[in-house]
Amino acid sequence: MAEEYRPLSRRTLLTAAAGGVAAGIVSTSLLTGTAGAAALPGRKRLLIGNVDALGNGSIAVADPSLTGTPSSIAVSGQPNSIAGAPDGIRAWVATQFTPGLALVDLDKGKVETEVMVGGFANNTVVSSDGKRAYVSVGSSGGGGSRGHVAVVDTANGEVRARIKVGFLPSQLALTPDGKRLYVADATATGVSIIDTAKNEVAGAVKTAKTPFRIAIDARGTKLYVASFRELTTFDLGTGQQNGTTALTGRPCGLAVGPAGTFAAVSLFTGRTTPSLLALVNTQTNKVRNQSENGRAHGPLVLSRDGGKAFVLDKENRKATASNTTDAKPENALSSPNSSKPTCVAFVETA
């Protein structure tokens, strides 16, 4: 069920987030509008969440070529997830500690707004129209003994509802039309389905194993669930399983190509063996290409055209870019100041 919920506080940061001082002023700006001066259309950026040894979080704004020196934007605590706004100018960042959600202006290089979501935030997604942000929140703080999904109105930064779902909701996947939100629980089997019009749980997809990562294709017809040593496909119309692919190791990242013809999975295979990037043919449910990818037991993201896979290598503290033809790494970017990369997103201005 959903409960009406108002955040404890909301702030607009009036100075640059890197070392700036927060002013205790409620934001009144429309967060879905265009930020600042006119943006260059088609500008591509790779956003990498990092955390240093002291727990300080930041977002590196890098060129997708992984060349040059990225700019850095400080955020409150470890970033766990990044979701770009539709305009490609800003991004929502879910953080492990209070307040839990931050809106970052990529051009201005600062945090614009912070939202109290009632616990530590695991993952976030934004609707295609930019009007709603959904945040999976762990079982602490305002979530009580169970976790919940916070529904954030991006026009004013208010949490409109919190939907109790599972004990530790982690991964989120939103259908392209925004009508259904799929939620994976890190402590259970199955994927919950939320009706976003009613803000309530409307059903579940049964899985044999705990879902580590989930994704939905661009047409909104298939749900992909990555579990230990396998990738399973479900038909969203019927909820029935229609394919399984054997994998090598534990999935740490999952993304589906824009045409739906392949899925990319980053795999942790053990402490003494190289991690892998696997490319799965979604028509045959077979791994078509696979390549070693450092110690890349971290999440991944695809470029908008699906030509590149950006995978985080947490042990070697870097991001790698691999082509999605043969899965082989082509370039890498080290994290600043020996920080550990935690999450990644690809954004492009409209």
Side-chain angles (χ1 to χ4, degrees):
M1 62 180 292
E3 300 176 9
E4 289 300 318
Y5 178 66
R6 297 183 67 85
L8 298 178
S9 66
R10 186 171 72 254
R11 299 179 298 168
T12 298
L13 302 191
L14 302 182
T15 56
V21 179
I25 300 176
V26 174
S27 170
T28 57
S29 61
L30 291 178
L31 307 183
T32 54
T34 302
L40 296 174
R43 183 183 180 188
K44 303 175 179 66
R45 286 178 280 195
L46 188 69
L47 311 180
I48 305 170
N50 293 290
V51 62
D52 65 18
L54 299 177
N56 300 310
S58 63
I59 304 298
V61 183
D63 188 281
S65 66
L66 301 188
T67 58
T69 302
S71 60
S72 182
I73 304 172
V75 294
S76 300
Q78 175 178 309
N80 284 337
S81 175
I82 307 171
D87 60 12
I89 299 171
R90 289 165 297 173
W92 290 96
V93 182
T95 58
Q96 187 162 321
F97 303 113
T98 299
L101 186 66
L103 177 66
V104 174
D105 187 308
L106 303 175
D107 287 347
K108 296 178 181 178
K110 67 177 184 179
V111 172
E112 283 194 340
T113 300
E114 292 181 315
V115 180
M116 301 288 289
V117 296
F120 56 88
N122 293 315
N123 197 238
T124 185
V125 294
V126 178
S127 60
S128 60
D129 61 8
K131 294 182 178 180
R132 290 288 184 271
Y134 299 91
V135 188
S136 58
V137 181
S139 53
S140 67
S145 61
R146 292 166 60 87
H148 66 276
V149 170
V151 182
V152 179
D153 184 338
T154 61
N156 53 28
E158 291 188 354
V159 177
R160 292 298 186 182
R162 56 178 182 180
I163 307 164
K164 292 185 177 181
V165 52
F167 180 76
L168 187 58
S170 54
Q171 299 301 303
L172 303 175
L174 187 65
T175 55
D177 62 11
K179 294 181 179 180
R180 292 288 188 271
L181 178 69
Y182 289 76
V183 186
D185 191 311
T187 63
T189 59
V191 178
S192 298
I193 306 170
I194 290 176
D195 182 326
T196 59
K198 298 179 179 179
N199 284 335
E200 64 182 27
V201 176
V205 176
K206 295 181 179 179
T207 63
K209 299 179 180 180
T210 300
F212 294 145
R213 298 283 168 173
I214 59 175
I216 293 174
D217 69 329
R219 294 185 299 172
T221 60
K222 294 181 180 180
L223 170 70
Y224 294 84
V225 179
S227 304
F228 186 66
R229 293 186 177 275
E230 69 180 29
L231 176 67
T232 307
T233 308
F234 295 87
D235 185 291
L236 288 184
T238 64
Q240 298 299 309
Q241 178 178 327
N242 58 14
T244 300
T245 304
L247 300 173
T248 303
R250 176 190 174 104
C252 297
L254 170 65
V256 181
T261 57
F262 75 93
V265 191
S266 58
L267 297 162
F268 176 62
T269 62
R271 294 184 180 277
T272 60
T273 55
S275 293
L276 303 171
L277 173 62
L279 302 176
V280 177
N281 184 319
T282 57
Q283 308 303 311
T284 63
N285 296 315
K286 301 289 185 183
V287 175
R288 63 168 171 83
N289 294 94
Q290 186 166 273
S291 179
E292 294 182 1
N293 204 293
R295 303 292 183 187
H297 43 99
L300 66 82
V301 69
L302 295 175
S303 57
R304 181 170 292 184
D305 62 7
K308 299 289 183 184
F310 301 94
V311 188
L312 298 188
D313 183 338
K314 290 187 176 181
E315 183 169 317
N316 293 314
R317 300 177 185 271
K318 64 182 181 180
T320 63
S322 301
N323 70 72
T324 54
T325 301
D326 58 15
K328 293 182 179 179
E330 295 180 334
N331 205 355
L333 178 69
S334 297
S335 295
N337 304 318
S338 298
S339 294
K340 181 174 70 174
T342 57
C343 54
V344 62
F346 182 92
V347 296
E348 183 173 340
T349 52

